[in-house]
Coordinates of all heavy atoms in Angstrom, one line a residue:
M1 N 32.9 93.8 -28.6 CA 32.5 92.9 -27.6 C 32.5 93.6 -26.3 O 33.4 94.3 -25.9 CB 33.5 91.7 -27.6 CG 33.0 90.4 -27.3 SD 34.3 89.2 -27.2 CE 33.5 87.9 -28.0
E2 N 31.5 93.4 -25.5 CA 31.4 94.0 -24.2 C 32.2 93.2 -23.2 O 32.3 92.0 -23.2 CB 29.9 94.1 -23.7 CG 29.1 95.0 -24.5 CD 27.7 95.1 -23.9 OE1 27.6 95.0 -22.7 OE2 26.8 95.3 -24.7
K3 N 32.7 94.0 -22.2 CA 33.5 93.4 -21.1 C 32.6 93.3 -19.9 O 32.0 94.3 -19.5 CB 34.7 94.2 -20.9 CG 35.8 93.4 -20.3 CD 37.0 94.3 -20.2 CE 38.1 93.5 -19.5 NZ 39.3 94.3 -19.3
H4 N 32.4 92.1 -19.3 CA 31.5 92.0 -18.2 C 32.4 91.8 -16.9 O 33.3 91.0 -17.0 CB 30.6 90.8 -18.3 CG 29.6 91.0 -19.4 ND1 28.5 91.8 -19.2 CD2 29.5 90.5 -20.6 CE1 27.8 91.8 -20.3 NE2 28.4 91.0 -21.2
S5 N 32.1 92.5 -15.9 CA 32.8 92.4 -14.6 C 32.1 91.4 -13.7 O 30.9 91.4 -13.5 CB 32.9 93.7 -13.9 OG 33.4 93.6 -12.7
H6 N 32.9 90.4 -13.3 CA 32.3 89.4 -12.4 C 32.9 89.5 -11.0 O 32.9 88.6 -10.2 CB 32.6 88.0 -12.9 CG 31.9 87.7 -14.2 ND1 30.5 87.6 -14.3 CD2 32.4 87.5 -15.4 CE1 30.2 87.4 -15.5 NE2 31.3 87.3 -16.2
G7 N 33.4 90.7 -10.6 CA 33.9 90.9 -9.3 C 35.3 90.4 -9.2 O 35.8 89.7 -10.0
T8 N 36.0 90.8 -8.1 CA 37.4 90.4 -7.9 C 37.4 89.0 -7.3 O 36.4 88.6 -6.7 CB 38.1 91.4 -7.0 OG1 37.4 91.4 -5.7 CG2 38.0 92.8 -7.6
P9 N 38.5 88.3 -7.3 CA 38.6 87.0 -6.6 C 38.3 87.2 -5.1 O 37.8 86.3 -4.5 CB 40.0 86.6 -6.9 CG 40.3 87.2 -8.2 CD 39.6 88.5 -8.2
L10 N 38.7 88.4 -4.6 CA 38.5 88.6 -3.2 C 37.0 88.6 -2.8 O 36.6 88.1 -1.8 CB 39.2 89.9 -2.7 CG 39.0 90.3 -1.3 CD1 39.6 89.2 -0.4 CD2 39.6 91.6 -1.0
T11 N 36.2 89.2 -3.7 CA 34.8 89.3 -3.5 C 34.2 87.9 -3.5 O 33.4 87.5 -2.7 CB 34.1 90.1 -4.6 OG1 34.7 91.4 -4.6 CG2 32.6 90.3 -4.4
Q12 N 34.7 87.1 -4.5 CA 34.2 85.7 -4.6 C 34.6 84.9 -3.3 O 33.7 84.1 -2.8 CB 34.7 85.0 -5.8 CG 34.4 85.7 -7.1 CD 32.9 85.5 -7.4 OE1 32.3 84.5 -7.2 NE2 32.3 86.6 -7.9
V13 N 35.8 85.0 -2.8 CA 36.2 84.3 -1.7 C 35.5 84.8 -0.4 O 35.0 83.9 0.4 CB 37.8 84.5 -1.5 CG1 38.2 84.0 -0.1 CG2 38.5 83.8 -2.6
L14 N 35.2 86.1 -0.3 CA 34.5 86.6 0.9 C 33.0 86.0 0.8 O 32.5 85.7 1.9 CB 34.5 88.1 0.9 CG 35.7 88.8 1.4 CD1 35.6 90.3 1.2 CD2 36.0 88.4 2.8
G15 N 32.4 86.0 -0.3 CA 31.1 85.4 -0.5 C 31.1 84.0 -0.1 O 30.1 83.5 0.6
F16 N 32.1 83.2 -0.5 CA 32.2 81.8 -0.1 C 32.3 81.6 1.4 O 31.7 80.8 2.0 CB 33.3 81.2 -0.9 CG 33.5 79.7 -0.5 CD1 32.6 78.8 -0.9 CD2 34.6 79.3 0.1 CE1 32.7 77.4 -0.6 CE2 34.8 77.9 0.4 CZ 33.8 77.0 0.0
V17 N 33.2 82.5 2.0 CA 33.4 82.4 3.4 C 32.2 82.8 4.2 O 31.8 82.1 5.2 CB 34.6 83.3 3.8 CG1 34.7 83.4 5.4 CG2 35.9 82.7 3.3
F18 N 31.5 83.8 3.8 CA 30.2 84.2 4.5 C 29.2 83.1 4.3 O 28.4 82.8 5.3 CB 29.7 85.5 3.9 CG 30.5 86.7 4.4 CD1 30.6 87.8 3.5 CD2 31.0 86.8 5.6 CE1 31.3 88.9 3.9 CE2 31.7 87.9 6.0 CZ 31.9 88.9 5.2
S19 N 29.1 82.4 3.1 CA 28.2 81.3 3.0 C 28.5 80.2 3.9 O 27.6 79.6 4.5 CB 28.2 80.9 1.5 OG 27.6 81.8 0.7
L20 N 29.8 79.9 4.0 CA 30.1 78.8 4.9 C 29.8 79.2 6.4 O 29.3 78.3 7.1 CB 31.6 78.5 4.8 CG 32.1 77.7 3.6 CD1 33.6 77.6 3.6 CD2 31.5 76.3 3.6
G21 N 30.0 80.4 6.7 CA 29.7 80.9 8.1 C 28.2 80.7 8.4 O 27.9 80.3 9.5
L22 N 27.4 81.1 7.4 CA 26.0 81.0 7.6 C 25.5 79.5 7.7 O 24.7 79.2 8.5 CB 25.2 81.7 6.5 CG 25.3 83.2 6.5 CD1 24.7 83.8 5.2 CD2 24.5 83.8 7.7
T23 N 26.2 78.7 6.9 CA 25.8 77.2 7.0 C 26.2 76.7 8.3 O 25.5 75.9 9.0 CB 26.6 76.5 5.9 OG1 26.1 77.0 4.6 CG2 26.3 75.0 5.9
F24 N 27.4 77.0 8.8 CA 27.9 76.5 10.1 C 27.1 77.1 11.3 O 26.9 76.4 12.3 CB 29.4 76.7 10.3 CG 30.2 75.8 9.4 CD1 31.2 76.3 8.6 CD2 30.0 74.4 9.4 CE1 32.0 75.5 7.8 CE2 30.8 73.6 8.7 CZ 31.8 74.1 7.9
A25 N 26.6 78.3 11.1 CA 25.8 78.9 12.1 C 24.4 78.1 12.2 O 24.0 77.9 13.3 CB 25.5 80.4 11.8
A26 N 23.9 77.8 11.1 CA 22.6 77.0 11.1 C 22.8 75.6 11.7 O 22.0 75.1 12.5 CB 22.1 76.9 9.7
L27 N 24.0 75.0 11.4 CA 24.3 73.7 11.9 C 24.5 73.8 13.4 O 24.0 72.9 14.2 CB 25.6 73.2 11.3 CG 26.0 71.8 11.7 CD1 25.0 70.7 11.2 CD2 27.4 71.5 11.1
F28 N 25.1 74.8 13.9 CA 25.3 75.0 15.3 C 24.0 75.2 16.1 O 23.7 74.6 17.1 CB 26.2 76.2 15.6 CG 26.4 76.5 17.1 CD1 27.2 75.8 17.9 CD2 25.7 77.5 17.7 CE1 27.4 76.0 19.2 CE2 25.8 77.8 19.0 CZ 26.6 77.1 19.8
V29 N 23.1 76.0 15.5 CA 21.8 76.3 16.1 C 21.0 75.0 16.2 O 20.4 74.7 17.2 CB 21.1 77.4 15.3 CG1 19.6 77.4 15.7 CG2 21.7 78.7 15.5
A30 N 21.1 74.2 15.1 CA 20.3 72.9 15.1 C 20.8 71.9 16.0 O 20.0 71.2 16.6 CB 20.3 72.4 13.6
L31 N 22.1 71.8 16.2 CA 22.7 70.7 16.9 C 23.1 71.0 18.4 O 23.2 70.1 19.2 CB 23.9 70.1 16.2 CG 23.6 69.5 14.8 CD1 24.9 69.0 14.2 CD2 22.6 68.4 14.9
K32 N 23.5 72.2 18.6 CA 24.1 72.5 19.9 C 23.3 73.5 20.8 O 23.8 73.9 21.9 CB 25.5 73.2 19.7 CG 26.5 72.3 18.9 CD 26.9 71.1 19.7 CE 27.9 70.3 19.0 NZ 28.3 69.1 19.7
T33 N 22.2 73.9 20.4 CA 21.4 74.8 21.3 C 20.2 74.0 21.9 O 19.7 73.0 21.3 CB 20.9 76.0 20.5 OG1 20.0 75.6 19.5 CG2 22.0 76.8 20.0
G34 N 19.7 74.5 22.9 CA 18.5 73.9 23.6 C 17.3 74.7 23.3 O 16.3 74.7 24.1
L35 N 17.2 75.4 22.2 CA 16.0 76.2 21.8 C 14.9 75.3 21.4 O 15.1 74.1 21.1 CB 16.4 77.1 20.7 CG 17.4 78.2 21.0 CD1 17.8 78.9 19.7 CD2 17.0 79.1 22.0
S36 N 13.7 75.8 21.4 CA 12.5 75.0 21.0 C 12.6 74.8 19.5 O 13.3 75.5 18.8 CB 11.2 75.8 21.3 OG 11.1 76.9 20.5
F37 N 11.8 73.8 19.1 CA 11.8 73.4 17.7 C 11.4 74.6 16.8 O 12.0 74.8 15.8 CB 10.9 72.2 17.5 CG 10.7 71.8 16.0 CD1 11.7 71.1 15.4 CD2 9.6 72.2 15.3 CE1 11.6 70.7 14.1 CE2 9.5 71.8 14.0 CZ 10.5 71.0 13.4
N38 N 10.4 75.3 17.2 CA 9.9 76.5 16.4 C 11.0 77.5 16.3 O 11.2 78.1 15.2 CB 8.6 77.0 17.0 CG 7.4 76.2 16.7 OD1 7.4 75.4 15.8 ND2 6.4 76.3 17.6
A39 N 11.7 77.8 17.4 CA 12.7 78.8 17.4 C 13.9 78.4 16.4 O 14.4 79.2 15.6 CB 13.3 79.1 18.8
I40 N 14.2 77.2 16.5 CA 15.3 76.6 15.6 C 14.9 76.8 14.2 O 15.7 77.2 13.3 CB 15.7 75.2 16.0 CG1 16.4 75.2 17.4 CG2 16.5 74.5 14.9 CD1 16.6 73.8 17.9
M41 N 13.7 76.4 13.8 CA 13.2 76.5 12.5 C 13.2 77.9 12.0 O 13.6 78.2 10.8 CB 11.8 75.9 12.3 CG 11.7 74.4 12.5 SD 12.6 73.6 11.1 CE 14.0 72.9 12.0
W42 N 12.8 78.9 12.8 CA 12.8 80.3 12.4 C 14.2 80.8 12.2 O 14.4 81.5 11.2 CB 12.0 81.1 13.4 CG 10.6 81.1 13.2 CD1 9.6 80.5 14.0 CD2 9.8 81.8 12.2 NE1 8.4 80.7 13.4 CE2 8.5 81.6 12.4 CE3 10.2 82.7 11.2 CZ2 7.5 82.1 11.6 CZ3 9.2 83.2 10.3 CH2 7.9 82.9 10.5
I43 N 15.1 80.4 13.0 CA 16.5 80.9 12.9 C 17.1 80.3 11.6 O 17.7 81.0 10.8 CB 17.3 80.5 14.1 CG1 16.8 81.3 15.3 CG2 18.8 80.7 13.9 CD1 17.4 80.9 16.7
I44 N 16.9 79.0 11.4 CA 17.5 78.3 10.2 C 16.8 78.9 8.9 O 17.5 79.2 7.9 CB 17.3 76.8 10.3 CG1 18.2 76.2 11.3 CG2 17.6 76.2 8.9 CD1 18.0 74.7 11.6
G45 N 15.5 79.2 9.0 CA 14.9 79.8 7.8 C 15.4 81.2 7.5 O 15.6 81.5 6.4
T46 N 15.6 82.0 8.6 CA 16.2 83.3 8.4 C 17.6 83.3 7.8 O 17.9 84.0 6.9 CB 16.1 84.1 9.7 OG1 14.8 84.1 10.2 CG2 16.7 85.5 9.6
L47 N 18.4 82.4 8.4 CA 19.8 82.2 7.8 C 19.7 81.7 6.4 O 20.6 82.2 5.6 CB 20.5 81.2 8.7 CG 20.9 81.7 10.1 CD1 21.5 80.6 10.9 CD2 21.8 82.9 10.1
A48 N 18.8 80.9 6.0 CA 18.7 80.4 4.6 C 18.3 81.6 3.7 O 18.9 81.7 2.6 CB 17.7 79.3 4.5
V49 N 17.4 82.4 4.1 CA 17.0 83.6 3.3 C 18.2 84.5 3.1 O 18.5 85.0 2.0 CB 15.8 84.3 3.9 CG1 15.5 85.6 3.2 CG2 14.6 83.4 3.7
I50 N 18.9 84.8 4.2 CA 20.1 85.6 4.1 C 21.1 85.0 3.2 O 21.7 85.7 2.3 CB 20.7 85.9 5.5 CG1 19.7 86.7 6.4 CG2 22.1 86.5 5.4 CD1 20.1 86.8 7.8
Q51 N 21.4 83.7 3.3 CA 22.3 83.1 2.4 C 21.9 83.1 1.0 O 22.7 83.3 0.1 CB 22.6 81.7 2.9 CG 23.7 81.0 2.1 CD 24.1 79.7 2.7 OE1 23.5 79.2 3.7 NE2 25.2 79.1 2.2
A52 N 20.6 82.9 0.7 CA 20.1 83.0 -0.7 C 20.4 84.4 -1.3 O 20.8 84.6 -2.4 CB 18.6 82.7 -0.8
G53 N 20.1 85.4 -0.5 CA 20.3 86.8 -0.9 C 21.8 87.1 -1.2 O 22.2 87.7 -2.2
L54 N 22.6 86.6 -0.3 CA 24.1 86.7 -0.4 C 24.6 86.1 -1.7 O 25.4 86.7 -2.4 CB 24.8 86.1 0.8 CG 26.3 86.1 0.7 CD1 26.9 87.4 1.1 CD2 26.9 85.0 1.7
Q55 N 24.1 84.9 -2.0 CA 24.5 84.2 -3.2 C 24.0 84.9 -4.4 O 24.7 84.9 -5.5 CB 24.1 82.7 -3.1 CG 24.9 82.0 -2.1 CD 24.5 80.5 -2.0 OE1 23.7 80.0 -2.7 NE2 25.1 79.8 -1.1
L56 N 22.8 85.4 -4.4 CA 22.3 86.2 -5.6 C 23.2 87.4 -5.9 O 23.5 87.6 -7.0 CB 20.9 86.7 -5.3 CG 19.8 85.7 -5.6 CD1 18.5 86.3 -5.1 CD2 19.7 85.4 -7.0
F57 N 23.7 88.1 -4.9 CA 24.5 89.3 -5.1 C 26.0 88.9 -5.4 O 26.6 89.5 -6.2 CB 24.4 90.2 -3.9 CG 23.1 91.0 -3.9 CD1 22.1 90.6 -3.0 CD2 22.8 92.0 -4.9 CE1 20.9 91.3 -3.0 CE2 21.6 92.6 -4.9 CZ 20.6 92.3 -4.0
M58 N 26.5 87.9 -4.7 CA 27.9 87.6 -4.8 C 28.3 86.7 -5.9 O 29.3 86.9 -6.5 CB 28.4 87.0 -3.5 CG 28.2 87.9 -2.2 SD 29.2 89.4 -2.3 CE 30.6 88.9 -1.4
F59 N 27.4 85.7 -6.2 CA 27.8 84.7 -7.2 C 27.0 84.8 -8.4 O 27.4 84.5 -9.5 CB 27.7 83.3 -6.6 CG 28.5 83.1 -5.4 CD1 28.0 82.7 -4.2 CD2 29.9 83.2 -5.5 CE1 28.7 82.5 -3.1 CE2 30.7 83.0 -4.3 CZ 30.1 82.7 -3.1
M60 N 25.7 85.2 -8.3 CA 24.8 85.2 -9.5 C 24.9 86.6 -10.2 O 24.2 86.8 -11.2 CB 23.4 84.9 -9.1 CG 23.2 83.6 -8.4 SD 23.7 82.2 -9.4 CE 22.4 82.1 -10.5
H61 N 25.6 87.5 -9.7 CA 25.8 88.8 -10.3 C 24.5 89.6 -10.6 O 24.3 90.0 -11.7 CB 26.7 88.7 -11.5 CG 27.9 87.9 -11.3 ND1 29.0 88.4 -10.5 CD2 28.3 86.7 -11.7 CE1 29.9 87.4 -10.5 NE2 29.5 86.4 -11.2
L62 N 23.7 89.6 -9.6 CA 22.4 90.2 -9.8 C 22.5 91.7 -10.1 O 21.7 92.2 -10.9 CB 21.5 90.0 -8.5 CG 20.1 90.5 -8.5 CD1 19.3 89.7 -9.5 CD2 19.5 90.4 -7.2
R63 N 23.4 92.4 -9.6 CA 23.6 93.8 -9.9 C 24.5 94.2 -11.0 O 24.7 95.3 -11.3 CB 24.0 94.5 -8.6 CG 23.0 94.6 -7.6 CD 23.4 95.6 -6.5 NE 22.2 95.8 -5.6 CZ 22.3 96.6 -4.6 NH1 23.4 97.2 -4.3 NH2 21.2 96.8 -3.9
D64 N 25.0 93.2 -11.7 CA 25.9 93.4 -12.8 C 25.1 93.7 -14.1 O 24.0 93.1 -14.3 CB 26.9 92.3 -13.0 CG 27.9 92.2 -11.9 OD1 28.0 93.1 -11.1 OD2 28.7 91.2 -11.9
G65 N 25.7 94.4 -15.0 CA 25.0 94.6 -16.3 C 24.2 95.8 -16.4 O 23.9 96.5 -15.4
E66 N 23.7 96.1 -17.6 CA 22.9 97.3 -17.8 C 21.4 97.1 -17.3 O 20.8 98.1 -16.9 CB 22.8 97.6 -19.3 CG 24.2 97.9 -19.9 CD 24.1 98.0 -21.4 OE1 23.0 97.9 -22.0 OE2 25.2 98.2 -22.0
D67 N 20.9 95.9 -17.3 CA 19.5 95.7 -16.9 C 19.4 95.1 -15.4 O 18.6 94.2 -15.2 CB 18.8 94.7 -17.9 CG 19.5 93.4 -18.0 OD1 20.7 93.3 -17.5 OD2 18.9 92.5 -18.5
S68 N 20.3 95.6 -14.5 CA 20.3 95.1 -13.2 C 18.9 95.4 -12.5 O 18.5 94.6 -11.7 CB 21.4 95.7 -12.4 OG 21.3 97.1 -12.3
T69 N 18.3 96.5 -12.8 CA 17.0 96.8 -12.2 C 15.9 95.8 -12.6 O 15.2 95.3 -11.8 CB 16.5 98.2 -12.5 OG1 17.5 99.1 -12.1 CG2 15.2 98.5 -11.8
A70 N 15.9 95.4 -13.9 CA 15.0 94.4 -14.4 C 15.3 93.1 -13.8 O 14.3 92.3 -13.4 CB 15.1 94.4 -15.9
Q71 N 16.5 92.7 -13.6 CA 16.9 91.4 -13.0 C 16.4 91.4 -11.5 O 15.8 90.4 -11.1 CB 18.4 91.2 -13.0 CG 18.9 90.9 -14.4 CD 20.5 90.8 -14.3 OE1 21.1 91.2 -13.4 NE2 21.0 90.1 -15.3
T72 N 16.6 92.5 -10.8 CA 16.1 92.5 -9.4 C 14.6 92.4 -9.4 O 14.1 91.7 -8.5 CB 16.6 93.8 -8.8 OG1 18.0 93.9 -8.9 CG2 16.2 93.9 -7.3
I73 N 13.9 93.1 -10.2 CA 12.4 93.0 -10.2 C 12.0 91.6 -10.6 O 11.0 91.1 -10.0 CB 11.9 94.1 -11.2 CG1 12.1 95.5 -10.6 CG2 10.4 93.8 -11.5 CD1 11.7 96.6 -11.6
N74 N 12.6 91.0 -11.5 CA 12.3 89.6 -11.9 C 12.5 88.6 -10.7 O 11.7 87.7 -10.5 CB 13.1 89.1 -13.1 CG 12.6 89.8 -14.4 OD1 11.5 90.3 -14.5 ND2 13.5 89.9 -15.4
V75 N 13.6 88.8 -10.0 CA 13.8 87.9 -8.8 C 12.8 88.1 -7.8 O 12.2 87.2 -7.2 CB 15.3 88.1 -8.3 CG1 15.4 87.5 -6.9 CG2 16.3 87.6 -9.3
I76 N 12.4 89.4 -7.5 CA 11.4 89.7 -6.5 C 10.1 89.1 -6.9 O 9.3 88.5 -6.1 CB 11.3 91.2 -6.3 CG1 12.6 91.7 -5.6 CG2 10.1 91.6 -5.5 CD1 12.7 93.2 -5.5
Y77 N 9.7 89.2 -8.2 CA 8.5 88.6 -8.7 C 8.5 87.1 -8.6 O 7.5 86.5 -8.2 CB 8.3 89.0 -10.2 CG 7.0 88.5 -10.8 CD1 5.8 88.9 -10.4 CD2 7.1 87.5 -11.8 CE1 4.6 88.3 -10.9 CE2 6.0 87.0 -12.3 CZ 4.7 87.4 -11.9 OH 3.6 86.8 -12.4
G78 N 9.6 86.5 -8.9 CA 9.8 85.1 -8.7 C 9.6 84.6 -7.3 O 8.9 83.6 -7.0
V79 N 10.2 85.4 -6.4 CA 10.0 85.0 -4.9 C 8.5 85.2 -4.5 O 8.0 84.4 -3.8 CB 10.9 85.9 -4.1 CG1 10.6 85.8 -2.6 CG2 12.4 85.5 -4.3
F80 N 7.9 86.2 -5.0 CA 6.5 86.5 -4.7 C 5.6 85.3 -5.2 O 4.8 84.8 -4.5 CB 6.0 87.8 -5.3 CG 4.5 88.0 -5.2 CD1 3.9 88.3 -4.0 CD2 3.7 87.9 -6.4 CE1 2.6 88.5 -3.9 CE2 2.4 88.0 -6.3 CZ 1.8 88.4 -5.1
I81 N 5.8 84.9 -6.4 CA 5.1 83.8 -7.0 C 5.3 82.5 -6.2 O 4.4 81.7 -5.9 CB 5.4 83.6 -8.5 CG1 4.9 84.7 -9.3 CG2 4.9 82.3 -9.0 CD1 3.5 85.0 -9.3
A82 N 6.6 82.2 -5.8 CA 6.9 81.0 -5.0 C 6.2 81.1 -3.7 O 5.6 80.1 -3.2 CB 8.4 80.9 -4.8
V83 N 6.2 82.2 -3.0 CA 5.5 82.4 -1.7 C 4.0 82.2 -1.8 O 3.4 81.5 -1.0 CB 5.9 83.7 -1.0 CG1 5.0 84.0 0.2 CG2 7.3 83.8 -0.6
V84 N 3.4 82.8 -2.8 CA 2.0 82.6 -3.0 C 1.6 81.2 -3.3 O 0.6 80.6 -2.8 CB 1.5 83.5 -4.2 CG1 0.1 83.2 -4.6 CG2 1.5 85.0 -3.7
T85 N 2.4 80.5 -4.1 CA 2.2 79.1 -4.5 C 2.3 78.2 -3.3 O 1.4 77.4 -3.0 CB 3.2 78.6 -5.6 OG1 3.0 79.5 -6.7 CG2 2.9 77.2 -5.9
V86 N 3.3 78.4 -2.5 CA 3.5 77.5 -1.3 C 2.5 77.8 -0.3 O 1.8 76.9 0.3 CB 4.9 77.7 -0.7 CG1 5.1 77.0 0.6 CG2 6.0 77.2 -1.7
A87 N 2.2 79.1 0.0 CA 1.2 79.5 1.0 C -0.2 79.0 0.6 O -1.0 78.5 1.4 CB 1.2 81.0 1.3
G88 N -0.5 79.2 -0.7 CA -1.8 78.7 -1.2 C -2.0 77.2 -1.1 O -3.0 76.7 -0.8
S89 N -0.9 76.5 -1.4 CA -0.9 75.0 -1.3 C -1.1 74.6 0.1 O -2.0 73.7 0.4 CB 0.3 74.4 -1.9 OG 0.5 74.7 -3.2
I90 N -0.4 75.2 1.0 CA -0.6 74.8 2.4 C -2.0 75.2 2.9 O -2.6 74.4 3.6 CB 0.5 75.5 3.3 CG1 1.8 74.9 3.0 CG2 0.1 75.4 4.8 CD1 3.0 75.7 3.6
W91 N -2.5 76.3 2.5 CA -3.9 76.7 2.9 C -4.9 75.7 2.4 O -5.8 75.3 3.1 CB -4.2 78.1 2.4 CG -5.5 78.6 2.8 CD1 -6.0 78.9 4.0 CD2 -6.6 78.9 1.9 NE1 -7.3 79.3 4.0 CE2 -7.7 79.3 2.7 CE3 -6.8 78.8 0.5 CZ2 -8.9 79.6 2.1 CZ3 -8.0 79.1 0.0 CH2 -9.0 79.5 0.8
V92 N -4.8 75.3 1.1 CA -5.8 74.4 0.5 C -5.7 73.0 1.2 O -6.7 72.4 1.5 CB -5.5 74.3 -1.0 CG1 -6.3 73.1 -1.6 CG2 -6.0 75.6 -1.7
M93 N -4.4 72.6 1.5 CA -4.3 71.3 2.1 C -4.8 71.3 3.6 O -5.3 70.3 4.1 CB -2.8 70.8 2.1 CG -2.4 70.4 0.7 SD -0.7 69.7 0.7 CE 0.3 71.1 1.0
S94 N -4.7 72.5 4.2 CA -5.1 72.5 5.6 C -6.6 72.7 5.7 O -7.3 72.2 6.6 CB -4.4 73.7 6.3 OG -3.1 73.5 6.3
F95 N -7.2 73.6 4.9 CA -8.6 73.9 5.1 C -9.5 73.5 3.9 O -10.7 73.9 3.9 CB -8.7 75.5 5.3 CG -7.9 75.9 6.4 CD1 -6.8 76.7 6.2 CD2 -8.3 75.6 7.7 CE1 -6.0 77.2 7.3 CE2 -7.5 76.1 8.8 CZ -6.4 76.9 8.6
G96 N -9.0 72.9 2.9 CA -9.8 72.5 1.7 C -10.9 71.5 1.9 O -11.9 71.5 1.3
G97 N -10.7 70.6 2.9 CA -11.7 69.6 3.1 C -12.7 69.8 4.2 O -13.4 69.0 4.6
M98 N -12.8 71.1 4.6 CA -13.8 71.4 5.7 C -15.2 71.5 5.2 O -15.8 72.0 4.6 CB -13.4 72.7 6.4 CG -12.1 72.5 7.1 SD -11.6 74.0 8.0 CE -11.5 73.3 9.6

């Protein structure tokens, strides 16, 4: 039987604390700043992408195991497909009826 390492409890706790910090940072930006709507959306979006990456590495164990390179490539491919699908849908909805 193979032994899989899931990180130390300290690693898990630090990941949780960083995730909470990013969540509260987004909440602060949304509620307590006087920035424009577009600036707030960009900041929250950036914090969300950072938090998603943090969770992939800290909680989903993206780099653990023998096939960590394949897992990373699969995640990148999945993100690419999602971006193409969303961007294509927005493009068709915006300019499809012209």
Side-chain angles (χ1 to χ4, degrees):
M1 219 183 218
E2 288 185 34
K3 205 173 178 186
H4 294 283
S5 170
H6 294 294
T8 63
L10 178 62
T11 304
Q12 301 290 320
V13 170
L14 284 176
F16 180 67
V17 169
F18 287 144
S19 291
L20 282 176
L22 289 168
T23 300
F24 288 127
L27 183 65
F28 175 78
V29 167
L31 297 178
K32 300 293 184 183
T33 62
L35 298 172
S36 69
F37 177 76
N38 286 335
I40 291 172
M41 289 295 111
W42 276 104
I43 293 170
I44 290 175
T46 303
L47 290 173
V49 168
I50 292 169
Q51 186 169 5
L54 174 78
Q55 290 180 3
L56 277 172
F57 286 105
M58 300 296 264
F59 302 121
M60 305 298 285
H61 310 291
L62 186 62
R63 289 193 168 178
D64 290 350
E66 297 172 3
D67 59 345
S68 64
T69 303
Q71 288 177 340
T72 303
I73 290 171
N74 288 338
V75 167
I76 291 170
Y77 179 68
V79 168
F80 172 74
I81 293 298
V83 167
V84 167
T85 302
V86 170
S89 297
I90 291 171
W91 181 68
V92 167
M93 288 186 290
S94 298
F95 303 110
M98 294 183 120

